[in-house]
Amino acid sequence: QKEVEQDPGPLSVPEGAIVSLNCTYSNSAFQYFMWYRQYSRKGPELLMYTYSSGNKEDGRFTAQVDKSSKYISLFIRDSQPSDSATYLCAMSDRGAQKLVFGQGTRLTINP
Amino acid sequence: DAGVTQSPTHLIKTRGQQVTLRCSPKSGHDTVSWYQQALGQGPQFIFQYYEEEERQRGNFPDRFSGHQFPNYSSELNVNALLLGDSALYLCASRENRAGNTIYFGEGSWLTVV
C-alpha cells in the first residue's frame, strides 16, 4: 500500500464548476500538507501549504486537512481553463523535509 | 528574484553512461533536495543536502550520488544509466531555519536510450 493515495483521474469539468481533489494517507506522523500544480512538462508550483488539521483559503482555492480520517482535499471554485493541469498532493512528517507525493490528478477545465 | 534554476533542461544519454545535473537554489535558500518523477507519477525523493552534507536519502541505489557546494548549489550524478532512469529530475530548495515551504525548479528531462 502506498503511503499517499491520489486518484489519477483524468477529471474533466466545465468552466465555472467547483472542483474537489482528494488524497488519503496512511502515515499518522504526517503533519505538513501541500498541494502543488504542475503544468505539462514543467516543475511543480506550490499552491497551498497547511500545518496539521483545519482549513486554509487563498482566493479560489481552499485546502482542508482531516488528520483523524487521514484525508486531505483541495477545492477550486469558479474553475477556469487556465486551471487545467496535474494537481499533486504532498506531505511530510517534519517541516519541509522529505516530501511524499501522491500520483497526481490530471484536471481539464472545458470552456 | 530568481527561483530554483536547473540545467540542462533536456538531455539524451546511452545506457551505461553517466550524467550530471545541476541546480541553483532560490535566493536565500540553503537546503537542496532532488526528486525523480517518472511519466504519470508523483515525484520520488532521492536525497537532501544541507551544509554540503547528505542529510536524508530516499530509496535509491548508490548509483545516485550528489554534492552541494559552498554557494548552496548542487549536483546530481547518476552512474551506469539504465533505461528506467528516464524521468524528469527535479531540484527543490528551502531555507533550513525558517522555511517550511519547498520550491521546485522546472526540472531536467533525462532520456536514456
Side-chain angles (χ1 to χ4, degrees):
Chain A
Q1 182 188 7
K2 293 182 179 179
E3 274 191 293
V4 180
E5 297 278 0
Q6 183 177 8
D7 187 340
L11 180 62
S12 181
V13 301
E15 182 176 356
I18 296 175
V19 176
S20 172
L21 304 169
N22 312 293
C23 289
T24 60
Y25 62 94
S26 57
N27 187 345
S28 58
F30 287 149
Q31 298 185 62
Y32 299 87
F33 305 92
M34 283 138 276
W35 286 94
Y36 286 85
R37 177 174 63 194
Q38 187 173 30
Y39 292 113
S40 181
R41 304 187 73 82
K42 297 289 187 181
E45 171 194 8
L46 180 64
L47 277 179
M48 301 288 286
Y49 169 86
T50 309
Y51 170 69
S52 194
S53 286
N55 295 356
K56 185 173 183 179
E57 186 173 326
D58 184 1
R60 297 185 294 110
F61 298 90
T62 299
Q64 289 185 352
V65 175
D66 182 349
K67 290 189 68 179
S68 62
S69 302
K70 297 189 179 67
Y71 188 86
I72 70 170
S73 300
L74 177 70
F75 297 94
I76 307 174
R77 292 184 299 280
D78 187 24
S79 55
Q80 305 294 311
S82 59
D83 295 328
S84 299
T86 295
Y87 288 79
L88 296 156
C89 64
M91 46 200 81
S92 70
D93 57 0
R94 290 183 293 161
Q97 300 294 331
K98 164 191 169 182
L99 292 181
V100 181
F101 282 85
Q103 184 177 351
T105 298
R106 187 172 177 181
L107 172 66
T108 301
I109 309 297
N110 301 303
Chain B
D1 177 24
V4 181
T5 58
Q6 293 187 242
S7 64
T9 54
H10 296 82
L11 68 166
I12 300 174
K13 290 286 187 177
T14 303
R15 191 171 40 182
Q17 284 188 318
Q18 178 263 346
V19 67
T20 297
L21 308 178
R22 296 175 177 82
C23 171
S24 292
K26 183 177 170 62
S27 178
H29 288 188
D30 55 9
T31 302
V32 172
S33 300
W34 288 91
Y35 290 78
Q36 180 196 65
Q37 186 177 22
L39 204 60
Q41 301 296 317
Q44 299 288 316
F45 176 79
I46 302 175
F47 42 53
Q48 181 181 85
Y49 278 85
Y50 171 65
E51 293 184 329
E52 303 179 49
E53 290 188 11
E54 184 182 294
R55 299 291 178 168
Q56 202 173 7
R57 188 179 183 93
N59 188 25
F60 279 81
D62 292 344
R63 298 187 298 109
F64 290 77
S65 63
H67 189 77
Q68 186 179 34
F69 300 94
N71 66 352
Y72 309 123
S73 67
S74 177
E75 289 182 349
L76 165 65
N77 301 292
V78 186
N79 294 322
L81 285 167
L82 304 174
L83 297 179
D85 295 331
S86 296
L88 176 66
Y89 288 86
L90 294 162
C91 175
S93 76
R94 70 176 182 93
E95 183 183 357
N96 187 63
R97 287 195 179 87
N100 283 322
T101 52
I102 296 178
Y103 296 90
F104 283 83
E106 296 290 8
S108 294
W109 283 96
L110 171 65
T111 302
V112 182
V113 297

